[in-house]
Amino acid sequence: MGENFSLAYRRAPSTYSDMQKMSEVDEKIKMDEKFSMDENQVRKNLAGFSREDICYFAWLCAVRALPFMTAAGSFDYWKHTQDENKRQRHLLSVLKAIDIAFFATRTTTTLNVSSNTANARTAFYASRAAADAAYDAYAARNTDVNARSAFYVARAAGDATRAANTSSAIADANAYATAADATRAAAQQSIDLRPILLEDLEIIKTKKSKFQNDTAIYGQIWSNFQKALHDLGCQYWAEWYAQIFAKGFILDDKDRAEIEMRLNVPGEIMERGAADVARYVLELKEYGATRLNEARILILGNKGAGKTSLTRRLKDPSHTMPKNDESTEGVDVLDWTIPPEPNQPESGVNVHIWDFAGHVITHAAHRFFMSERCLYIMIIDGRTEGNSRTEYWLEQIRNHGGDSPVLVLINVRDKHHVDVPENTLRREFPSIVGFYPVDINAGGKVLDDFRQTVITILRENPLWKNTQIAAPVYKVKEALGQRFKQGNEFLDRAEFDKIAKESGIETEADRKQLLKDLHDLGICLCYDDADLCVFDTLVLNPSWISHGIYRLINWGSNNKKTVLSIADFHKMFTGKDAFKYVGKAGFLFSLMKAYQLAFFKNTQAIFVPLLFPTDRPKDSRLPEFNFGDRLRLDYCANQALPPYTVARLAVLHSQELDEQNSWRFGAVLHFGDTVALVEENDRARTITVLVRGSKQKEYLAHLRNTLNSIFDDYKHNRPELKYEVLLPSVGFDSEDKRLSVDDSTAFMQTESQIIEHAKRGRNLLTGNRYFPEIEPNETIWGYGLTIINGDVIMRDKNADHSKHINKSQTTIHDDHSTRDDHSTHDYSVHDDHSKHIDMSQIINISFQDCSINFQGELNALARRFRELGSPDDVELANELRGVASDLDESMKEIPADAKLGSSELVKVKESLRKNGLLDRLGGLYEDLNDENSELHKKAAKIRKGVEALQKIGTCYNDVAQWLCLPQIPRPLLGTFGKRNSSS
């Protein structure tokens, strides 16, 4: 955790002018190390500390570092993000990490936050995301020491959380890392924090003095810190930390209770950021707090798996089983009251069980009713379920439910039990609590035991047990609940205001905020969308919405209609519940639009792309996209794609949609003379975008922004993005006989590969025998790629570029014509290059490129192992970094003019053999090749760790081909092994 900054976090510069500033960066790094804490000195002092005291020191370091986050008086380094609320969320992630760290400083607490691995892990990664965002701003403006200070502060908060979530044996390593980052944050402002932290260690050890708490040591920085928080609407936080300093960092029971209150703010409120959490806590303090006492169970699985049966038998174990032809149409909601245990009045829970339909056509709508702070039960059909569907449902839960607990129930129906890879699934989905083989139909003790497990989780999990709302809000919630019990599915705003006033919510601003809170908590749904505001409808029963939407989708599917009209609305709702939807066609249609499930054809009808035919049209009906005349990008996922992504994109691009030639998994779009095809392949887990025409660059950028925004809605990682490399415009055309459609995948390169090779002045390697390497500038220009504050984006406006290609050098210019965060960067290229390439000359380029990629992946995984903190993990991290370092040295031994099969290269390989590098690579090969190796087992502890190993394995194969080492079989490399080994 205390490794040299230049090794662990330094990134390549974003622009040519950034490269010219590298000397300034190097000087700054030297300053970092000059002011860095001495690790041996700190750990020696910590040697006799209790775990609580170690964690207290880590917390204290993070608190002392915090003012340096806003040394210049603002959070402008986070301003580059398009989502303004991200600043609030980034700030909260740092503040929350510090709060969680504090709870490890005392052994007695009613909230076991610090030992809650999922909570601490989430806080750690969130604070690191805030650090990365600050660093992105610094990387774009190398002299921005304020962003750099913020980077270290956010890291310190994450390190403190790590200390809180590790054993005493390794907590000291994380405490040292916190101290090191705190001193580096101060060093950016030319302040030496080391003497104060060393004095803190002595005070904690002897308990004889008071901590240095004079804010004057910060100078103007303290005033700037207070000002920045006030300007962001976070006066509460400014006052809180002023109070901590004033108290000399000694917190009493009242303070601890307030921290506990903050950590138990509902996740839906936390999602909005620091200011909203502060407001929520102040309301609890002013009006008094009442336990919310509401929990949701979401039951998911394929059609016929037994979801409805379990829903009924959870509430009543003796309930009759549903009939064979009885099936959930959308979502059925069943209320279940769990009574309190004797002498424990607060152990009772009001539960809402949501039974989701398994019909495939309804899955696109599930995302609107799945959320965090729920208990998920996923049912596997013991007779028919395959692993792919199991992973599909678990992936959807992770995308929408985050770290919510998951119970996997295997519905045993006969003697032939399904073989579920429990250990594999636990490694990939850490939120799984357990696997439970249960015969729902037979019932008995096994079902009773499962039911008791559910009850225990609902009673004990802090997600529900400790959630509180302000007393007036609880009063409004109860009043709305009474309205619902009286048969009211919805009410208008005037009625809501009357109830709120009677409950003590006096001002319009407070009532509006209350309505927003109730909406996020799922108690009373209101919508700000302009199309919905006109209906003046607040929904008291969320299942009224879910039932209505699913009914529309199912009716359209059964009647093979993509257009749903108000004239047909009465046909869609029949039976005993039909009266609930009378006069609500316009409202439901507008909801379908707001949920991006449909768009209006006219004022009387909506078009639902989800209801397109499933079959792909004949090729003759689809536009052609010839290699060389098109732009192409692929989204490649390592997990199940969100269902019906293209149908959602079709809604967002309804003006350009070709309704006659599109289908459920593919959309043909027309933008003037530019045409596009967006197609998803669920089996390959890819979404491909093809565009051709005079505006192809601009339109592709538009489509990419849309897809990115769709993937941003999901909590799991975005798919990897690849571009089809463009051939030089000089000397080649789309009719070139050496190009074939079958070979086109060789030209797909990741976004990072293209940018990094351009910045290093290197050619892209394709593996195609006619075009083994291609200069990247044509691709950068053709796709309009640029870098703004560390983020790769696609420009959607025309720019004047020279079309002359220089294969030997890429220059990346920084356009200083604009000074804001959206300044453009032009990629200028010149001159010509022979299309005839001597294959014997590319060994140096190929090996160095492969080695650079390999080193990067090894160092990235090493950092993550080191963050785990245990001695074994740190040792493994050092081994990986050692291999990377040896590879770096080996690159220097390869002569620039070495040729394939030359005597020089033979000598180099012999040298590598003598210095032991080939043996170390051989050992790495064995570990990568063995899924039971320690390397594989430890990688499973890290989020996306298995994927990291697969990337390393692919990079290893790239290097191994030059060193005549054995190759790892591609099936072991997952989707990464599908690409060409030389790419």
Side-chain angles (χ1 to χ4, degrees):
M1 294 293 291
E3 68 266 32
N4 186 292
F5 173 80
S6 62
L7 290 176
Y9 282 92
R10 184 174 172 187
R11 302 183 183 183
S14 301
T15 66
Y16 180 71
S17 60
D18 286 343
M19 297 178 189
Q20 294 176 312
K21 297 175 184 175
M22 285 310 298
S23 61
E24 299 175 25
V25 180
D26 291 335
E27 288 302 315
K28 185 53 64 179
I29 290 173
K30 290 178 183 178
M31 179 183 289
D32 294 341
E33 298 312 313
K34 176 183 176 183
F35 284 90
S36 183
M37 296 286 286
D38 181 275
E39 181 171 3
N40 292 331
Q41 184 180 12
V42 173
R43 297 185 75 167
K44 182 179 179 181
N45 276 281
L46 292 172
F49 281 26
S50 67
R51 179 181 177 276
E52 288 71 31
D53 284 343
I54 292 173
C55 293
Y56 182 80
F57 175 66
W59 171 79
L60 183 55
C61 290
V63 172
R64 288 198 182 278
L66 192 59
F68 295 111
M69 177 166 268
T70 55
S74 74
F75 295 91
D76 281 352
Y77 47 82
W78 283 331
K79 200 170 184 178
H80 71 280
T81 175
Q82 294 179 359
D83 182 358
E84 284 294 320
N85 197 43
K86 275 191 177 179
R87 282 191 295 170
Q88 289 281 356
R89 293 200 296 269
H90 283 326
L91 175 59
L92 179 63
S93 70
V94 175
L95 300 173
K96 182 180 177 182
I98 294 175
D99 278 353
I100 288 178
F102 174 78
F103 263 88
T105 67
R106 295 292 181 271
T107 54
T108 56
T109 173
T110 58
L111 180 68
N112 198 18
V113 174
S114 60
S115 64
N116 185 323
T117 302
N119 201 342
R121 183 178 65 242
T122 300
F124 171 78
Y125 284 119
S127 62
R128 281 302 173 95
D132 287 345
Y135 190 89
D136 283 342
Y138 167 75
R141 304 186 298 269
N142 277 330
T143 57
D144 190 345
V145 295
N146 300 312
R148 192 176 175 87
S149 288
F151 163 76
Y152 282 128
V153 173
R155 272 189 67 191
D159 294 335
T161 302
R162 279 288 198 195
N165 195 45
T166 52
S167 64
S168 301
I170 55 178
D172 62 341
N174 292 296
Y176 162 70
T178 311
D181 283 332
T183 57
R184 289 167 182 157
Q188 309 311 307
Q189 311 301 326
S190 301
I191 293 178
D192 189 356
L193 202 58
R194 290 176 301 174
I196 293 176
L197 297 186
L198 290 173
E199 183 183 7
D200 289 343
L201 282 170
E202 186 63 25
I203 293 171
I204 295 172
K205 183 178 181 179
T206 62
K207 298 179 172 58
K208 292 182 179 179
S209 302
K210 294 182 179 180
F211 293 105
Q212 161 64 268
N213 65 333
D214 188 355
T215 57
I217 64 172
Y218 295 96
Q220 184 62 34
I221 290 173
W222 179 261
S223 298
N224 290 346
F225 171 60
Q226 293 284 306
K227 174 183 179 297
L229 290 173
H230 277 265
D231 289 348
L232 203 62
C234 295
Q235 297 91 330
Y236 166 85
W237 293 104
E239 294 169 5
W240 170 261
Y241 280 100
Q243 174 184 302
I244 285 181
F245 273 81
K247 288 187 172 184
F249 310 101
I250 305 299
L251 276 61
D252 56 26
D253 289 342
K254 185 178 178 182
D255 297 323
R256 287 193 287 273
E258 188 160 340
I259 294 176
E260 183 174 346
M261 185 183 295
R262 287 202 297 264
L263 290 173
N264 284 315
V265 168
E268 295 89 342
I269 306 299
M270 285 192 179
E271 193 68 22
R272 300 188 211 147
D276 269 279
V277 168
R279 175 194 56 78
Y280 197 88
V281 169
L282 288 172
E283 288 178 358
L284 293 178
K285 292 175 66 178
E286 181 179 356
Y287 298 112
T290 304
R291 184 166 169 254
L292 179 58
N293 197 30
E294 300 276 344
R296 278 210 304 161
I297 298 176
L298 275 59
I299 302 181
L300 299 163
N302 286 352
K303 180 182 179 181
K307 300 183 297 299
T308 301
S309 301
L310 178 65
T311 299
R312 295 177 181 178
R313 292 207 158 180
L314 276 176
K315 182 175 181 178
D316 179 5
S318 62
H319 198 289
T320 57
M321 298 291 286
K323 300 176 183 178
N324 290 334
D325 60 349
E326 192 175 346
S327 178
T328 303
E329 184 175 23
V331 175
D332 285 341
V333 180
L334 183 68
D335 292 334
W336 174 28
T337 300
I338 298 176
E341 292 186 298
N343 302 319
Q344 298 183 39
E346 291 194 350
S347 62
V349 188
N350 297 317
V351 184
H352 310 290
I353 308 175
W354 288 55
D355 168 19
F356 282 78
H359 306 75
V360 176
I361 190 67
T362 63
H363 294 184
H366 285 359
R367 62 188 170 92
F368 304 111
F369 310 108
M370 298 169 65
S371 65
E372 296 183 278
R373 214 166 52 86
C374 299
L375 172 62
Y376 285 87
I377 301 177
M378 200 214 81
I379 300 185
I380 297 176
D381 190 331
R383 297 174 302 181
T384 63
E385 197 87 31
N387 289 342
S388 62
R389 297 307 294 172
T390 300
E391 292 180 6
Y392 166 84
W393 284 114
L394 290 171
E395 196 62 53
Q396 302 316 311
I397 292 171
R398 178 160 61 181
N399 273 332
H400 303 289
D403 288 325
S404 296
V406 182
L407 307 180
V408 180
L409 184 145
I410 302 145
N411 191 9
V412 180
R413 301 179 190 239
D414 51 39
K415 296 179 180 179
H416 303 288
H417 295 180
V418 64
D419 184 17
V420 178
E422 296 185 13
N423 293 331
T424 301
L425 291 173
R426 283 181 189 273
R427 287 168 60 181
E428 179 63 23
F429 303 96
S431 294
I432 293 177
V433 175
F435 293 82
Y436 306 88
V438 176
D439 186 337
I440 301 174
N441 186 41
K445 185 178 184 304
V446 177
L447 178 61
D448 289 341
D449 289 345
F450 177 78
R451 187 170 176 269
Q452 189 57 49
T453 297
V454 172
I455 292 173
T456 300
I457 291 175
L458 293 173
R459 280 175 170 162
E460 300 300 327
N461 195 299
L463 289 173
W464 307 285
K465 182 179 180 181
N466 298 327
T467 300
Q468 297 177 320
I469 58 177
V473 179
Y474 186 83
K475 192 174 180 181
V476 172
K477 180 188 86 73
E478 291 295 287
L480 294 176
Q482 286 298 319
R483 286 289 187 102
F484 174 54
K485 289 178 181 178
Q486 294 168 4
N488 296 297
E489 302 282 349
F490 24 75
L491 73 167
D492 59 31
R493 179 62 191 273
E495 292 176 282
F496 174 82
D497 285 347
K498 181 181 178 182
I499 293 172
K501 286 179 181 178
E502 292 173 351
S503 301
I505 312 297
E506 297 294 340
T507 70
E508 170 64 19
D510 287 345
R511 289 194 294 273
K512 187 175 181 180
Q513 184 62 59
L514 169 62
L515 202 49
K516 187 177 180 182
D517 289 349
L518 293 175
H519 175 88
D520 286 345
L521 293 171
I523 296 170
C524 178
L525 304 183
C526 63
Y527 299 89
D528 294 331
D529 187 279
D531 292 331
L532 288 164
C533 286
V534 298
F535 295 100
D536 190 20
T537 299
L538 310 181
V539 181
L540 298 177
N541 180 16
S543 65
W544 180 89
I545 293 178
S546 62
H547 180 76
I549 286 177
Y550 288 117
R551 179 68 67 88
L552 295 179
I553 293 172
N554 284 321
W555 186 87
S557 177
N558 293 336
N559 291 275
K560 300 187 182 305
K561 288 192 173 187
T562 56
V563 177
L564 307 181
S565 68
I566 290 180
D568 288 331
F569 192 76
H570 69 282
K571 301 176 185 176
M572 304 172 197
F573 292 91
T574 58
K576 62 179 182 179
D577 291 333
F579 74 96
K580 297 180 180 180
Y581 295 90
V582 173
K584 295 297 180 181
F587 182 67
L588 272 181
F589 282 6
S590 295
L591 273 175
M592 291 280 284
K593 180 189 172 215
Y595 286 161
Q596 297 175 0
L597 292 170
F599 59 88
F600 276 96
K601 288 284 288 183
N602 51 55
T603 58
Q604 299 296 306
I606 56 173
F607 191 99
V608 187
L610 179 64
L611 300 176
F612 270 135
T614 58
D615 197 15
R616 192 181 198 271
K618 293 180 179 180
D619 288 344
S620 59
R621 288 177 49 191
L622 297 176
E624 291 185 355
F625 298 89
N626 295 321
F627 185 82
D629 287 335
R630 70 191 184 198
L631 295 180
R632 171 183 172 178
L633 61 83
D634 288 358
Y635 286 85
C636 305
N638 296 307
Q639 62 278 334
L641 288 167
Y644 305 118
T645 301
V646 169
R648 187 174 171 189
L649 176 136
V651 172
L652 298 172
H653 288 268
S654 59
Q655 296 295 318
E656 307 108 66
L657 182 64
D658 182 344
E659 299 171 10
Q660 301 304 314
N661 295 307
S662 297
W663 68 107
R664 195 174 297 173
F665 306 103
V668 177
L669 306 160
H670 294 277
F671 181 70
D673 68 347
T674 300
V675 61
L677 172 63
V678 184
E679 184 172 3
E680 65 182 281
N681 185 325
D682 188 51
R683 269 182 270 183
R685 295 178 173 177
T686 60
I687 293 177
T688 297
V689 184
L690 297 166
V691 185
R692 63 169 170 80
S694 64
K695 298 288 186 181
Q696 61 185 25
K697 177 168 61 177
E698 296 82 1
Y699 195 51
L700 184 66
H702 195 31
L703 293 174
R704 191 188 104 144
N705 289 339
T706 298
L707 287 167
N708 285 350
S709 68
I710 290 174
F711 287 119
D712 282 344
D713 282 349
Y714 302 99
K715 300 184 183 302
H716 203 43
N717 289 345
R718 176 189 293 175
E720 185 176 47
L721 190 55
K722 292 185 176 182
Y723 297 88
E724 185 174 72
V725 174
L726 302 181
L727 296 181
S729 57
V730 179
F732 306 104
D733 58 48
S734 61
E735 301 300 322
D736 198 308
K737 300 301 182 185
R738 291 169 293 177
L739 302 176
S740 69
V741 176
D742 293 338
D743 197 36
S744 63
T745 55
F747 295 99
M748 299 303 297
Q749 300 270 338
T750 66
E751 186 174 75
S752 59
Q753 284 175 320
I754 295 169
I755 296 297
E756 288 302 315
H757 279 69
K759 288 189 292 191
R760 293 173 182 267
R762 298 182 181 278
N763 290 346
L764 297 163
L765 307 176
T766 68
N768 178 280
R769 59 175 178 160
Y770 296 113
F771 310 103
E773 55 173 317
I774 298 174
E775 195 275 338
N777 269 49
E778 186 77 13
T779 301
I780 289 174
W781 181 88
Y783 287 93
L785 296 179
T786 189
I787 301 174
I788 292 180
N789 287 346
D791 294 325
V792 179
I793 68 167
M794 294 178 69
R795 293 188 296 270
D796 57 3
K797 295 181 180 180
N798 285 320
D800 183 22
H801 295 275
S802 169
K803 292 300 297 268
H804 300 290
I805 309 300
N806 176 357
K807 297 296 177 213
S808 61
Q809 182 179 1
T810 299
T811 57
I812 306 179
H813 298 292
D814 186 5
D815 180 5
H816 294 283
S817 60
T818 56
R819 302 296 296 175
D820 60 21
D821 285 336
H822 298 282
S823 58
T824 59
H825 299 71
D826 295 334
Y827 296 82
S828 303
V829 288
H830 310 283
D831 150 297
D832 188 19
H833 183 69
S834 171
K835 64 183 178 181
H836 302 292
I837 300 172
D838 181 358
M839 286 294 293
S840 67
Q841 296 292 339
I842 70 168
I843 179 65
N844 185 40
I845 297 174
S846 299
F847 180 75
Q848 290 203 5
D849 281 344
C850 295
S851 179
I852 289 170
N853 291 338
F854 195 18
Q855 291 173 57
E857 296 296 344
L858 287 170
N859 282 321
L861 185 60
R863 286 197 301 273
R864 297 176 71 186
F865 277 135
R866 195 171 179 84
E867 287 167 357
L868 292 177
S870 75
D872 288 344
D873 291 320
V874 172
E875 181 181 355
L876 181 55
N878 291 336
E879 290 178 9
L880 293 175
R881 289 179 62 186
V883 174
S885 178
D886 286 350
L887 274 172
D888 188 45
E889 289 298 316
S890 71
M891 290 172 60
K892 301 173 184 177
E893 298 188 39
I894 299 181
D897 58 350
K899 296 183 179 181
L900 188 62
S902 66
S903 59
E904 294 95 337
L905 189 58
V906 172
K907 291 179 182 178
V908 168
K909 290 180 180 177
E910 183 60 29
S911 173
L912 299 180
R913 190 172 283 108
K914 287 181 179 180
N915 68 21
L917 175 59
L918 295 191
D919 287 340
R920 298 185 75 177
L921 287 174
L924 182 61
Y925 162 78
E926 292 178 0
D927 285 341
L928 290 171
N929 219 19
D930 181 7
E931 292 185 323
N932 294 315
S933 68
E934 283 301 308
L935 180 62
H936 269 275
K937 291 177 181 177
K938 288 183 178 296
K941 296 189 296 183
I942 304 173
R943 187 182 181 195
K944 309 289 282 184
V946 175
E947 290 180 18
L949 282 187
Q950 291 173 344
K951 286 184 178 180
I952 287 176
T954 303
C955 292
Y956 165 88
N957 279 354
D958 292 343
V959 170
Q961 64 182 330
W962 300 108
L963 301 179
C964 300
L965 292 174
Q967 300 271 303
I968 298 171
R970 290 188 181 182
L972 292 179
L973 304 180
T975 57
F976 298 101
K978 295 177 183 178
R979 70 171 179 80
N980 187 288
S981 62
S982 298
S983 54

